[in-house]
Amino acid sequence: MSRVVVDVMLKPELLDPQGQALVKALDRLGYTGVTSVRQGKRFELEVEGAVDDAVLARVRDAADTLLANPVIEDFTVRAEVG
C-alpha cells in the first residue's frame, strides 16, 4: 500500500473567517506574534501498488471532482514517502 496526500486550501484571495478567529484565539491564549492563519483540509488516500504519474493523475482528477471545490479552493497532490 502507498499513500497519496491531497492538501486543500481556500484560494488566497478569499477571506478565511475561521483562520482569522484562530489568530485572535491564539493571541488571547498568549501565543503572540501569529499574524495569519489559513485553515484547510488534508486527505490521505491509501492506494494499491506504487505511486506513479498515472496514480497521481487519477487522484488529481478525484480531487478536482470530489475532494476540493475548484471555484474557491486550490489543492496539491503528492505521494507520501515513509
Side-chain angles (χ1 to χ4, degrees), residues 50-78:
V51 176
D52 58 14
D53 288 343
V55 170
L56 291 174
R58 288 189 62 209
V59 172
R60 200 170 289 113
D61 186 56
D64 194 48
T65 303
L66 178 66
L67 303 178
N69 179 346
V71 173
I72 62 169
E73 297 172 320
D74 293 325
F75 64 87
T76 59
V77 175
R78 61 185 161 83

Side-chain angles (χ1 to χ4, degrees), residues 3-55:
R3 180 175 292 164
V4 179
V5 176
V6 180
D7 292 308
V8 179
M9 297 292 294
L10 281 173
K11 291 187 175 188
E13 64 270 22
L14 294 179
L15 183 65
D16 183 351
Q18 187 173 0
Q20 291 178 338
L22 287 170
V23 169
K24 292 176 184 173
L26 287 167
D27 189 63
R28 279 193 311 272
L29 293 171
Y31 299 101
T32 58
V34 178
T35 59
S36 177
V37 173
R38 301 287 292 178
Q39 61 96 30
K41 300 178 275 189
R42 174 185 165 118
F43 299 91
E44 297 180 353
L45 289 76
E46 300 290 334
V47 298
E48 295 179 353
V51 176
D52 58 14
D53 288 343
V55 170

